[in-house]
Structures are given as structure tokens and as C-alpha cells.
Amino acid sequence: MYGSETGFLARESLPELFSLLHVQGFDIVAPQIQDGSILYQVITGAEQLPSGWQDQQQPGSYRLTQTESPLNFSWANGPQALKPWLFAPREVIWRAEKQPDGRLQFCEPDAPDRKLAVLGVRSCDLAALKLQDAHFLNNRYHDPYYAARRKGLLIIAVNCSHPADTCFCVSTGDGPHAEQGFDLCLTELENGFLISSGSETGNDLYEKLPLTKATEKQLHNQLQQKLSASKQQRALPQIPVKQLLSERRDHPRWDDIAERCLACGNCTQVCPTCFCHKEGDLASLDASTSEHLREWDSCFSEGHGYMAGHQARPEIKDRYQQWMIHKLSSWHDQYGRSGCTGCGRCTTWCPAAIDFVEEVNLICGDES
Amino acid sequence: MSDKPRIAVHKFSSCDGCQLAFLNMGEDLINLAEQVEIIHFAEAGPVAEDALVDIAFIEGSVVTAHDQQRIKQIRNNSQYLITIGACATSGGIQALKNLAADAADWPAQIYGQPQYIDSLDQSGAVSDYVKVDFELWGCPINSAQVVELVNSLLRGVSPIDHQDKVCLTCKQEQIVCTLITQGKPCLGPVTRNGCGALCPSFGRDCFGCYGPAENSNTIGLANRFAGLGLLPDEIQRRFKLVHASASENQRIIARDLTQDLAQDLAQESSDE
């Protein structure tokens, strides 16, 4: 039985985890500092993990600062985590080639077979992964590209110790600590990591790592960290907003949002659960080959609301309503829960500094 | 005479940069030459300005009385007329003179013998004078846009008017937002994509050279720039550079921002 034990991995032994993963053929994706943000990229050794970095997030603002701390994960999140590694921002899904006799031959690209271990997955993103799985795997239309990448994915969660001011995972029930959906789960302490496993693959790694038994003090620190990370400033309304939101389409606040909203789609692109995409073709100039591409789309773009000669959502207000009401209301009908996992990215990465949580509260709250 | 589609590339008032989107196509330029007959393209060689063609590409804005006549003649000679680049599509950088009260005095200030300068007092978009069938935005446009457009026309398909925002490209390419992480006045949220988010990919804020995107909330973005600490004059300059004549940018340029912002601030303090 896995998951019942908690071991301690000293910080200087973290390279052992990298070695084990490399031996099993995994590329390791982990947080890196780039251009003033935290991006998940392939790294080759534990020494490449950034240390001492902290993030300050506000609506429309993200700043990093470095401290002397040895901690590798003392920040909340960056603009993306798992989503682009599974649901590719742009990919060719088939190709047509003209044969010498004029016939067209259609071919599929090879299914991705890369083994990826992602280190540093937050609980909000694990909850989002579950929703992406529901959409791409357990739906009427099984997505083979997502499925192939998902099959090669190993998840090493790291419990969130420093939620940002924009975070509200506690109010959605998705954090701050990971409860399920990982292979290994780490809690970062001053000198190393408490580790537990959540799958057979994870258990196999767990047994090979140079662990000591977690002490009472370490377990107490873990609990303290969870309690402290649970104190978040923002919260979605504790009343059920599913009905309220769609009933309040005439609320004056939507007009106020539409004055500020740029319909740029950033919120949807950084949202770890948004799954909309569009398809198009790119043909060579001599018409000998053509590629059918799938790429991320957004309910804020013109094409998203365009159907058979009719634009269903011409105004920015229509599009913002589509985004918020789908996320918090109709998602329940589709996948049995809200589509929001409280990561706060839509708020931080909004160029207009629109505060998603504040807006929901204003629209659903008491109008006085 | 061949039965291949006949094309012409005409130059008006411009820097020639958009014509390079044809010349820099590489292998595709050979493919293009095999599929169409290039009748007029002075920068590349062939000259036959008054020939009848299937597709006329227009670079540059209309700035002289002669330009006005030429563009009408080209329209009459062409089945499709397509503008390439900022100048032809919205008037370009030189449309800044449309904003100046004393533009008529400029030649005397710049040229030793201004009597040789014979220009209109406005730099006009081609669509101010004749019907335009399709517009390729950009300063300059790139080869990929030309290939896609020509491909559509050769196959008899309506070309796709790409008018989503630059932000979508940034997020797809994992380019970190300069507005959010550095507080830079990036125009990406109101600008058409198509450039591959070139400037943000080098950590620089977009200055809007691809022109206004669909549903561009320039007023919302200008207010945000004020929130980032830009003064009214700085905000207006952001929207003036390449597409000063575009109506979305005019909403900012033509406003008295100083007065508007003062009113907004007064409103905010009375709310508090």
C-alpha cells in the first residue's frame, strides 16, 4: 500500500531523485527563472533549480525577488505549469501530401512518446489536470495526442508554502496541499523534503530514494506550513454561484467590466482548465502538401463566437460573460464541478488588472 | 499569353519594406513565379504599370495628386486589389502629418527648395480612394502572410483575416508578458497578431505595428497605461506611431486625455 508513509529526503540528496528518473528514461521538467517569471522547462540536474526566489502577485502585476533562502519552491506559480506540456499550444494533427498521380495521401504525425517527469506541480494544477483529463480523455471524444502525452507523464507535486495574494485555492477546495493525483508529493522544509507516494510508480521511486523516517518535528512543520498557506486573502463566494451568475446577466457590473476588459484572452490562455482550440490549414505554395493545425483559442476571440455566418458574441461584455459563466456555472453541468481551481492566474496575468474573484463577489453578492 | 494569374506589385509612398516580403520568400519565390505571371514589380525587374492584372498588391500611402490618379487607374486595371502594409492600409507613419495643424508649412522648414514638393496635406490609406478587396496589416508585412494570402486566392478560397490579439501568440509561445512583469506599456492587447510576437519575444513591449485587432478596447488600455504611471502625452504617443489614422487609435489621439484623466481622478476621490 502506497501513500501511508512519509520519508525525509535531505536537500543534498535531491540529485538522487533526478538520477532515478533519468535511469527510467524521463526528461525532467521543473521551474526555471526566465524574463522575470517562473517557467516550466526541461532541466538536467537538481543544481539547476532556482533557489530563494519569491513572487509578488497582484491583479495585473507579477514581480520576482531573490532572497538568501535555500528554498527552491517558496513561490506560488508562474503563468503556465502542466497545461502546455499536455494540451500543446499548437500542433499538426494531420498532413496531406499530393502523390505523383495526383491523389492525396493523408498521414498522421507519430504519437508523442516522450516520458516527462514534472517537478513542482501545485495542488491547484493537479485539480486542473483532473478537469483536463475529464475533457480530453474521459469524454465522448477521446483525444489521442493528449492521451499519448498524459501516458508518459510522471507528477511530482510540491505542496504550496507561499500562496500569492491572488490565490484562492482554499475557497475552491483545491489546495494548498496536494491530496491526490500525483506520483510523488513533496513538502519543502528548510533542509530538505518530506516525501510521500501516490501511485505504484511513485512508490517504486520512494523505495529507492535515500530517505530517513520523518520526525515528529518535521511532520509538525508540514502541518504548520499547510495551516499558514491556507490563510488566503481572496475567496470565491461561499454561496452557490452556479445559478446566480447566469440569472444576473443584467447586473450593471458586467458593463463596468466590459469598459476595462481588453478581450485579449490572456485569462483563458493562462487558465489551467481552459481547453478551447481552433483548427486551420497551412498549405505549401505549390499545393503539394498541407498541414492541419490545432491551436489554442479563446472565447475572447472573434472566431470563437462566429457560427455559420452569425456572430454570437459581438461585444466584449458578451465574451466576458461567456468566460466567467462557463467557468463557474455551466462547467458544473459539463464536468460536475466548477472549472476554477483557485490558481489566480487570470487575475495576475490580466493586462487590465481585472480581479476575477472581486468581480464574482460583486455580481453574486448583495447588491446593496 | 499564359493562363497563369497575372499579378502586379505597385509602390506608392513607402519605405519598400513590404515588397521585401515577396523578395525574401526564398524557395517560395520560385514557387510563386511558377504559379503566377509577375507583370509589374519594379523593385524586382518587370515594369508594366498600366497592364491589366488579376491581382494588384499596393504598398504605400496616397500622398500626391498623381498618386490619386494612379490608384484609380490601377483599380480599373485589376480584378483584386490588395493593400500590403501599414502605409497602404491605414496611411502609415507618414499619416502623423494628418495630425499637425501646420503640416502645410513643413516642406519650407525641411527642404531648401520647397517649390519642388507637390504633396497633399494628408497621407491617405488606399481605401480612402478606391475599393480594397483585402488588407494585409503589418509594418512591414512578412512572407508567411503573403504565401497564405496568395495560396487562398490561387485556390479560390476567401483569405482568412487574422485579427486576434498579439497576446494569444505570446501565451502560445510562452513569451513572458512585459506589461505584467515589467509594467511596460505594451500594445499587444489591442494589436493584430501575425508578427509572431516579435518584440515581446525579445522582452520589448509591442508598439502596435500590425494595427488594431478586432474589438480593440484602446480606451481601456489607455486607462491602464495611466494606472501604470504614463502621462497623457506619453499615452497618446504610444497610439500614434505606426497607425495614427486608424479609428481605434484616433479614439485616444483625438481625446483631451489630460482633462479626461483629471475627471477620472476627481471621480475616484469622490467615490472614496
Side-chain angles (χ1 to χ4, degrees):
Chain A
M1 177 62 199
Y2 50 78
S4 51
E5 282 179 41
T6 300
F8 177 75
L9 181 73
R11 189 174 297 281
E12 56 271 23
S13 300
L14 194 58
E16 300 279 343
L17 175 60
F18 278 66
S19 303
L20 283 174
L21 292 167
H22 281 146
V23 165
Q24 294 188 15
F26 284 98
D27 285 331
I28 299 166
V29 170
Q32 293 286 281
I33 305 296
Q34 190 183 310
D35 300 331
S37 183
I38 289 166
L39 301 182
Y40 282 70
Q41 295 171 337
V42 173
I43 65 170
T44 52
E47 74 285 355
Q48 290 168 258
L49 286 173
S51 54
W53 290 91
Q54 297 191 337
D55 54 354
Q56 286 82 42
Q57 301 191 37
Q58 291 294 329
S61 171
Y62 186 98
R63 295 289 187 278
L64 286 177
T65 47
Q66 195 172 20
T67 66
E68 296 295 312
S69 157
L71 300 181
N72 299 126
F73 298 95
S74 53
W75 39 268
N77 57 33
Q80 307 277 356
L82 280 177
K83 186 167 93 169
W85 291 99
L86 293 167
F87 171 30
R90 189 181 297 130
E91 66 185 315
V92 175
I93 53 178
W94 50 258
R95 188 176 279 113
E97 288 168 9
K98 195 183 262 181
Q99 302 302 302
D101 63 3
R103 285 182 311 115
L104 287 180
Q105 185 179 337
F106 291 86
C107 38
E108 260 188 287
D110 294 335
D113 60 353
R114 193 177 186 188
K115 288 173 78 176
L116 274 188
V118 184
L119 170 64
V121 181
R122 302 304 194 189
S123 60
C124 52
D125 289 329
L126 281 179
L129 175 68
K130 206 170 164 186
L131 282 169
Q132 292 258 300
D133 284 352
H135 179 74
F136 287 110
L137 299 180
N138 309 322
N139 208 340
R140 200 165 142 202
Y141 302 100
H142 184 83
D143 188 292
Y145 311 98
Y146 181 94
R149 295 193 181 93
R150 183 71 176 90
K151 194 171 162 229
L153 186 72
L154 184 129
I155 295 169
I156 304 167
V158 176
N159 285 323
C160 190
S161 56
H162 291 68
D165 287 350
T166 43
C167 290
F168 53 99
C169 63
V170 173
S171 74
T172 65
D174 298 308
H177 277 201
E179 309 290 345
Q180 55 175 345
F182 50 77
D183 295 289
L184 284 177
C185 180
L186 277 56
T187 299
E188 186 173 35
L189 303 177
E190 189 74 11
N191 302 320
F193 301 89
L194 288 179
I195 298 193
S196 57
S197 69
S199 72
E200 280 183 38
T201 317
N203 210 43
D204 179 52
L205 289 165
Y206 183 92
E207 283 172 2
K208 289 180 178 141
L209 284 167
L211 304 177
T212 53
K213 193 171 184 305
T215 64
E216 284 299 317
K217 177 134 194 307
Q218 287 167 338
L219 291 169
H220 175 74
N221 286 347
Q222 174 172 250
L223 185 63
Q224 281 302 322
Q225 186 189 92
K226 183 177 175 182
L227 290 174
S228 131
S230 299
K231 289 172 188 150
Q232 299 176 349
Q233 298 178 10
R234 281 181 167 73
L236 282 181
Q238 291 308 299
I239 47 170
V241 301
K242 177 177 184 291
Q243 203 64 30
L244 267 180
L245 265 182
S246 40
E247 281 169 1
R248 294 197 176 172
R249 280 180 180 267
D250 296 327
H251 194 288
R253 190 67 190 177
W254 295 111
D255 295 309
D256 187 86
I257 295 170
E259 277 183 23
R260 288 172 286 140
C261 176
L262 307 170
C264 60
N266 274 296
C267 46
T268 60
Q269 307 297 284
V270 296
C271 177
T273 68
C274 271
F275 47 66
C276 283
H277 59 262
K278 60 183 173 189
E279 292 177 21
D281 295 282
L282 201 57
S284 66
L285 197 49
D286 62 359
S288 62
T289 61
S290 179
E291 289 184 331
H292 192 71
L293 288 153
R294 171 169 82 174
E295 61 185 316
W296 287 0
D297 198 5
S298 167
C299 45
F300 285 93
S301 65
E302 190 261 347
H304 195 277
Y306 183 81
M307 287 172 279
H310 172 67
Q311 177 53 256
R313 293 184 285 277
E315 306 296 333
I316 291 180
K317 179 178 162 183
D318 306 324
R319 298 181 194 178
Y320 199 91
Q321 287 193 338
Q322 167 70 22
W323 142 251
M324 184 183 273
I325 295 175
H326 180 216
K327 190 66 59 185
L328 298 179
S329 179
S330 30
W331 213 290
H332 284 274
D333 302 322
Q334 271 181 299
Y335 299 112
R337 62 157 287 179
S338 146
C340 176
T341 65
C343 72
R345 290 187 177 97
C346 55
T347 298
T348 297
W349 298 96
C350 173
I354 294 170
D355 185 332
F356 187 77
V357 170
E358 183 185 19
E359 301 303 344
V360 182
N361 278 295
L362 283 167
I363 293 162
C364 294
D366 187 352
E367 285 179 39
S368 59
Chain B
M1 198 166 123
S2 109
D3 56 358
K4 289 193 279 192
R6 294 155 57 88
I7 71 163
V9 180
H10 294 275
K11 175 188 159 57
F12 282 71
S13 184
S14 59
C15 75
D16 288 33
C18 291
Q19 296 180 65
L20 294 180
F22 285 86
L23 299 177
N24 289 344
M25 271 184 192
E27 192 184 333
D28 271 336
L29 186 59
I30 299 168
N31 286 331
L32 180 71
E34 283 170 357
Q35 302 203 39
V36 301
E37 195 177 348
I38 301 172
I39 302 292
H40 172 78
F41 189 174
E43 187 158 319
V47 175
E49 190 169 19
D50 298 324
L52 296 178
V53 296
D54 296 295
I55 309 167
F57 293 96
I58 312 295
E59 180 198 81
S61 67
V62 176
V63 294
T64 66
H66 179 230
D67 284 348
Q68 289 175 311
Q69 291 170 357
R70 267 178 75 210
I71 194 65
K72 284 175 186 153
Q73 189 57 47
I74 292 167
R75 176 71 267 187
N76 287 338
N77 288 345
S78 317
Q79 188 190 354
Y80 295 115
L81 186 146
I82 291 161
T83 58
I84 53 171
C87 303
T89 307
S90 84
I93 293 175
Q94 57 272 30
L96 280 169
K97 80 169 182 177
N98 304 358
L99 306 173
D102 59 347
D105 300 335
W106 285 7
Q109 294 170 30
I110 297 164
Y111 299 102
Q113 295 182 300
Q115 65 270 27
Y116 292 113
I117 304 296
D118 175 25
S119 71
L120 304 169
D121 58 359
Q122 299 269 307
S123 169
V126 171
S127 62
D128 292 344
Y129 296 95
V130 296
K131 175 174 169 276
V132 172
D133 298 299
F134 196 78
E135 295 172 332
L136 275 189
W137 292 74
C139 184
I141 60 161
N142 60 52
S143 300
Q145 288 172 282
V146 176
V147 169
E148 187 183 334
L149 171 67
V150 171
N151 236 337
S152 299
L153 295 173
L154 288 176
R155 320 292 158 220
V157 178
S158 294
I160 296 170
D161 190 17
H162 296 286
Q163 48 180 334
D164 288 342
K165 280 106 186 171
V166 171
C167 298
L168 293 187
T169 303
C170 276
K171 288 296 175 287
Q172 286 187 359
E173 302 291 334
Q174 312 271 335
I175 297 167
V176 175
C177 183
T178 63
L179 192 153
I180 304 297
T181 60
Q182 302 177 58
K184 286 190 176 174
C186 183
L187 287 178
V190 296
T191 302
R192 280 173 182 253
N193 63 12
C195 61
L198 186 60
C199 293
S201 74
F202 288 96
R204 189 196 194 285
D205 39 330
C206 167
F207 60 89
C209 75
Y210 268 62
E214 179 265 352
N215 237 330
S216 274
N217 183 1
T218 44
I219 293 175
L221 189 60
N223 286 335
R224 177 71 175 128
F225 288 171
L228 291 172
L230 270 74
L231 299 172
D233 179 55
E234 293 173 310
I235 294 170
Q236 288 180 324
R237 281 168 182 266
R238 289 301 290 164
F239 290 92
K240 274 178 186 171
L241 190 57
V242 182
H243 292 282
S245 286
S247 60
E248 293 86 344
N249 292 343
Q250 278 294 316
R251 280 187 225 142
I252 307 305
I253 298 165
R255 272 172 87 192
D256 184 344
L257 277 192
T258 314
Q259 203 178 345
D260 288 355
L261 290 173
Q263 277 175 0
D264 287 351
L265 287 173
Q267 182 67 39
E268 270 176 37
S269 54
S270 73
D271 287 350
E272 284 163 10

